[in-house]
Amino acid sequence: MRTRRGLCYPRADVCVDKIVVKRRDFAGYNMACRKRQRFSPVIAGNSDLFDALPDDLVISILSKLSSSASCPSDFINVLITCKRLNSFALQPLVLSKASSKLFAIKAENWSESAHRFLKCCADAGNVEACYTLGMIRFYCLQNRGSGASLMAKAAISSHAPALYTLAVIQFNGSGGSKNDKDLRAGVALCARAAFLGHIDALRELGHCLQDGYGVRQNITEGRRFLVQANARELAAGLSSASVSNIATCSWLTWSPHPIPHPTNRHPNVPGCPLLSDFGCNVPAPEAHPANKFLTDWFGSRDGIPGPGLRLCSHVGCGRPETRRHEFRRCSVCGAVNYCSRACQALDWKLRHKAECAPVERWLDEEGVGGDGMDEVIAES
């Protein structure tokens, strides 16, 4: 039987606790009233519609959420909602679909639970998790073998950033000695990443061909790869502007001459110039969450990865040296060092072109940098 408000009277087999609440009436006398607890939907005769949803449908929805999440909290909030969502959200099918933005963990929030979550995603076959956890283990936790293995697992699945990172490791002999460099393997990995459309790999391959570094010199072909890299960079800038509803005329400019670096007198020129043949500006590319993690991780340690070690001077990279004098220095000023030619070219356009000043001689604290470095390329 129901009351006028639609509530059910308690059944005979249900015991209802009664709570005595004291209140004061208008005359100031204490009065005792009995307040009945609300009944659960099951007792009230209403069924939980969420429990009636098929498991396959819930898992499909969670897979879509993990692939489109814009930050880790979008997914974590689901995990703490209820036990059913928590168990389904940790299914391998859901974790394998997670996007790179889901792994955008801040270095200050790194913990063992975050490590376990990335490991679960990597075990589920998520290539972004393999790459992100591989970068963290290789560079931050100094677990070189496990980190390289995870990145190789992602590279086998044609993950372009993993292929490019492994190429940088081969070029520098990271995690080993100077004799562990393998330039031909680095070029091969870089070519595979460039084939998949990775912009930094296209730049790196172009400079390798122009300089004859690890491959037979071919200036014309190298120039073609550089033009292709800048064309892809422009296309990516146009695409990101259309998605964010930003008018391209606000940042895209045309000039027959190279666009100068932004200064205090010209603060409204964002981004970095492309080849002077194109003469236009695009916004600086967004760094991968793994690179952001490396930057924050070592930034919290005053930018010093270890005694005598340095970080790559390109702000969007974050890679540290694994041994002294591993990265090559600018041969003009000697004040900056880079893990790759692609980082050199990007940093030259972003800031170093305005800061680089030639000096007759430069020495570090304990001697000249080991490998030296080719001259900075003005048009990258």
Side-chain angles (χ1 to χ4, degrees):
M1 183 180 296
R2 294 178 180 271
T3 64
R4 291 182 179 179
R5 294 184 179 180
L7 298 176
C8 295
Y9 289 109
R11 296 181 302 196
D13 58 343
V14 178
C15 179
V16 181
D17 295 331
K18 295 184 179 181
I19 305 173
V20 178
V21 181
K22 292 184 178 181
R23 63 188 179 119
R24 189 179 299 274
D25 66 348
F26 294 103
Y29 297 101
N30 290 330
M31 300 180 62
C33 67
R34 296 185 180 275
K35 184 177 180 181
R36 190 186 315 166
Q37 287 185 339
R38 292 186 177 181
F39 298 101
S40 65
V42 177
I43 297 177
N46 299 325
S47 60
D48 192 344
L49 297 179
F50 175 70
D51 291 336
L53 290 176
D55 294 350
D56 294 344
L57 179 60
V58 177
I59 292 177
S60 177
I61 294 173
L62 291 175
S63 299
K64 180 65 176 178
L65 173 64
S66 66
S67 63
S68 59
S70 58
C71 60
S73 60
D74 290 347
F75 191 74
I76 299 301
N77 290 336
V78 175
L79 293 177
I80 62 178
T81 301
C82 65
K83 291 183 178 180
R84 189 184 185 206
L85 283 178
N86 185 283
S87 61
F88 286 162
L90 297 178
Q91 291 288 327
L93 179 61
V94 177
L95 298 179
S96 64
K97 303 292 184 182
S99 64
S100 60
K101 293 183 179 180
L102 183 59
F103 308 127
I105 304 171
K106 294 183 179 179
E108 59 185 13
N109 297 331
W110 179 253
S111 62
E112 187 61 32
S113 60
H115 196 164
R116 286 197 304 268
F117 177 73
L118 280 173
K119 182 66 168 59
C120 290
C121 294
D123 292 340
N126 190 299
V127 292
E128 286 290 349
C130 290
Y131 173 64
T132 303
L133 184 57
M135 289 277 283
I136 293 173
R137 285 185 176 180
F138 189 89
Y139 288 111
C140 300
L141 306 182
Q142 298 184 7
N143 190 343
R144 313 295 186 195
S146 177
S149 177
L150 284 169
M151 286 188 283
K153 182 179 178 181
I156 292 174
S157 300
S158 298
H159 188 263
L163 286 164
Y164 175 68
T165 297
L166 291 175
V168 172
I169 291 174
Q170 294 294 330
F171 281 135
N172 297 320
S174 301
S177 65
K178 183 178 179 181
N179 296 328
D180 292 325
K181 293 182 179 181
D182 193 339
L183 303 185
R184 296 185 63 180
V187 170
L189 290 166
C190 205
R192 177 60 180 168
F195 175 77
L196 296 173
H198 194 268
I199 296 176
D200 287 343
L202 284 166
R203 278 202 182 92
E204 186 75 19
L205 188 59
H207 287 299
C208 287
L209 286 168
Q210 280 193 332
D211 302 337
Y213 188 75
V215 67
R216 180 178 299 177
Q217 187 176 23
N218 191 331
I219 298 177
T220 303
E221 191 70 10
R223 182 71 175 180
R224 185 180 70 83
F225 276 109
L226 293 176
V227 172
Q228 186 178 354
N230 284 274
R232 285 184 176 272
E233 186 181 42
L234 176 59
L238 292 173
S239 176
S240 62
S242 62
V243 171
S244 56
N245 296 323
I246 300 176
T248 56
C249 59
S250 64
W251 54 264
L252 183 59
T253 57
W254 181 266
S255 172
H257 305 290
I259 298 175
H261 186 274
T263 61
N264 295 330
R265 293 180 297 173
H266 306 283
N268 297 323
V269 185
C272 56
L274 296 172
L275 284 172
S276 59
D277 300 338
F278 294 173
C280 55
N281 266 13
V282 297
E286 183 180 2
H288 191 278
N291 295 98
K292 291 181 180 179
F293 185 92
L294 296 184
T295 302
D296 295 342
W297 179 275
F298 294 109
S300 63
R301 291 159 175 76
D302 299 327
I304 303 175
L309 304 180
R310 300 179 293 264
L311 293 176
C312 178
S313 297
H314 177 40
V315 293
C317 178
R319 291 183 179 89
E321 290 182 323
T322 60
R323 67 175 186 279
R324 297 190 59 182
H325 308 311
E326 176 182 338
F327 295 162
R328 291 161 298 177
R329 282 190 168 188
C330 175
S331 62
V332 179
C333 66
V336 294
N337 48 273
Y338 303 103
C339 67
S340 63
R341 285 168 170 75
C343 284
Q344 171 196 351
L346 281 173
D347 193 62
W348 173 258
K349 294 187 298 182
L350 284 170
R351 67 177 185 88
H352 190 54
K353 184 177 181 180
E355 302 172 355
C356 186
V359 293
E360 294 182 358
R361 183 181 182 186
W362 50 266
L363 299 173
D364 61 7
E365 294 80 0
E366 299 180 9
V368 180
D371 291 338
M373 184 176 183
D374 296 335
E375 278 195 23
V376 178
I377 303 173
E379 291 184 2
S380 54

